[in-house]
Amino acid sequence: MLPTPVLRPEPELEPEPHSRRQRWVVATLGTTLGLAGLIGVAVAAGPGVRPDRDGAPQAGTVGNAGSAPIAPAFDADAGAVLPRHRVVAFYAVPNATATGPAHTPTAAMLVKLRAQGAAYAVLDPAHPVKLGIDLVVSVPDRHAGRDGTYSHRVDAATIQRYVDFCRANDLLLFLDLNFGWSNPINELDYFRPYLKLPFVHVAIDPEWMFPRRNGIPGEHLSNVRASDLNPLISAIAEMPQQYRVSRKILILHQYRGNGDGLRNPFDARKAEIADKRNLLDDRRVDLVLHVDSVGGWPGDIELKTRQYGEWVRGDMDRYGNFRYGGFKIFYWLEARHRLMTPTEVMSLRPAPMVITYGH
């Protein structure tokens, strides 16, 4: 059972001068997460996570009476989502409407999600669509807060609402981690009770990750190294064997380029991931490099297409340490110009296996 996380009120965040995306995210969190905190406190007495319902299968016994029990062979590939399916998911910070359509788990949201997934299903019947929610559960803050981590966790009762909603509607749930200054492995471990569930996976956004505590979310650009991410990849790769569930998906958001080939790969102004070539290649986890940049002006589609070609197709060919690409569309922001259609998204090469929609 998870301990009940301690919430703290969120400060109003100011615009970030360095990037269009951070200006939007900071403004959004500053105006909406205060409401999220109040709602979370109101429901904090709700039930905790209940992984036992969907937990590990019980080992049987074989052989003659009196023989030692033999655990059945375990195959993490059995029931794995990738590569058999394509994932279409809605993104959000809970109760923060401007962040994405999954801000509240409702029947109306589910209708829209199913309609969006159906648009991709008809384009590639060979990969049936699995629907999901990409839920930010550790939220970046501009102020250090009580723990000095520049981040806070969504309360357990709110997360449980999403767990129950996804279980009831056969959805995947991605726990999206935005670490700030917190210890990444400690943060991942906090959410392990949820990750025992077969339909719960992980997303990581390095944009809000400052492992050397050399920047503040919303004020500075981040630069992370493979050595910061590889322990997380390893820990998630071990979970299927530990919990007797199918192989996990790990979405790694990429908003800016990587430093491979740069004179100074640690310059946050030029690179988000310093040495992408050194990311751990562990076949026990399905690593998805997910292009997370934001459009909304003439030429944005061409730019995002080029980024996908460089960060997914190009890096996949160069480094061979991941096998799946992902892509994000922003309904509200990108509609200022024109939304990419599912046909256009599917024309990217390789076709994205995880497609998410925010606002």
Side-chain angles (χ1 to χ4, degrees):
M1 180 72 68
L2 281 171
T4 301
V6 178
L7 295 182
R8 53 181 179 273
E10 288 304 298
E12 184 174 355
L13 304 182
E14 299 175 3
E16 203 289 305
H18 298 292
S19 73
R20 169 188 293 262
R21 171 189 170 85
Q22 289 200 348
R23 285 196 299 270
W24 168 71
V25 172
V26 169
T28 295
L29 294 179
T31 56
T32 57
L33 286 178
L35 175 60
L38 291 175
I39 294 174
V41 170
V43 299
V49 65
R50 296 184 293 275
D52 292 343
R53 279 193 237 162
D54 298 273
Q58 297 297 312
T61 59
V62 295
N64 298 324
S67 62
I70 301 175
F74 172 71
D75 181 9
D77 185 62
V81 177
L82 297 178
R84 298 176 182 88
H85 299 81
R86 172 167 287 104
V87 176
V88 177
F90 278 176
Y91 170 92
V93 175
N95 303 305
T97 304
T99 60
H103 58 89
T104 306
T106 63
M109 182 275 289
L110 184 60
V111 168
K112 294 178 181 178
L113 176 59
R114 286 172 172 165
Q116 188 64 78
Y120 287 93
V122 299
L123 295 172
D124 182 13
H127 293 90
V129 168
K130 283 291 292 182
L131 302 176
I133 293 175
D134 183 352
L135 185 73
V136 177
V137 291
S138 58
V139 186
D141 300 328
R142 191 173 174 179
H143 295 270
R146 179 182 304 173
D147 300 325
T149 61
Y150 290 93
S151 68
H152 73 276
R153 296 162 179 156
V154 172
D155 65 277
T158 297
I159 297 174
Q160 188 63 44
R161 288 173 55 213
Y162 282 88
V163 168
D164 293 342
F165 185 85
C166 289
R167 179 191 286 115
N169 293 289
D170 191 27
L171 304 180
L172 305 176
L173 178 61
F174 294 88
L175 303 181
D176 203 311
L177 307 180
N178 298 256
F179 297 106
W181 285 19
S182 61
N183 179 286
I185 288 295
N186 290 349
E187 195 72 5
L188 178 68
D189 286 346
Y190 179 87
F191 293 102
R192 273 183 180 269
Y194 302 110
L195 291 164
K196 295 178 182 180
L197 300 171
F199 59 90
V200 179
H201 302 265
V202 183
I204 293 172
D205 198 339
E207 181 184 353
W208 308 104
M209 182 178 181
F210 293 88
R212 271 153 288 285
R213 302 192 169 192
N214 57 352
I216 296 173
E219 288 191 14
H220 304 104
L221 299 174
S222 64
N223 177 277
V224 303
R225 305 173 189 180
S227 59
D228 303 319
L229 299 170
N230 285 342
L232 295 162
I233 294 174
S234 292
I236 296 165
E238 292 168 356
M239 289 180 181
Q241 184 68 41
Q242 291 171 338
Y243 306 136
R244 314 296 276 187
V245 295
S246 300
R247 191 170 55 251
K248 297 290 184 184
I249 299 171
L250 170 56
I251 298 174
L252 184 61
H253 297 298
Q254 185 169 357
Y255 168 58
R256 294 178 290 113
N258 42 287
D260 297 298
L262 296 182
R263 178 174 297 180
N264 179 11
F266 309 114
D267 185 347
R269 296 169 299 177
K270 298 180 179 179
E272 181 178 11
I273 305 174
D275 54 340
K276 193 173 174 181
R277 68 187 184 280
N278 290 326
L279 287 177
L280 184 64
D281 182 13
D282 193 324
R283 302 301 175 98
R284 298 174 300 165
V285 61
D286 288 326
L287 180 62
V288 178
L289 263 293
H290 182 268
V291 174
D292 199 33
S293 57
V294 184
W297 64 90
D300 60 344
I301 292 176
E302 292 79 5
L303 174 61
K304 292 182 67 170
T305 299
R306 185 165 65 252
Q307 290 170 338
Y308 188 88
E310 294 174 359
W311 303 343
V312 174
R313 185 180 64 246
D315 289 346
M316 188 183 293
D317 291 343
R318 278 187 288 271
Y319 310 134
N321 51 6
F322 65 97
R323 279 160 296 285
Y324 304 108
F327 200 75
K328 187 169 184 178
I329 302 290
F330 292 82
Y331 283 128
W332 293 356
L333 294 172
E334 294 179 351
R336 296 169 183 171
H337 176 225
R338 182 177 72 80
L339 288 181
M340 287 182 72
T341 67
T343 299
E344 289 174 316
V345 173
M346 289 292 290
S347 71
L348 299 170
R349 291 292 177 266
M353 295 302 284
V354 175
I355 301 144
T356 63
Y357 283 82
H359 275 162

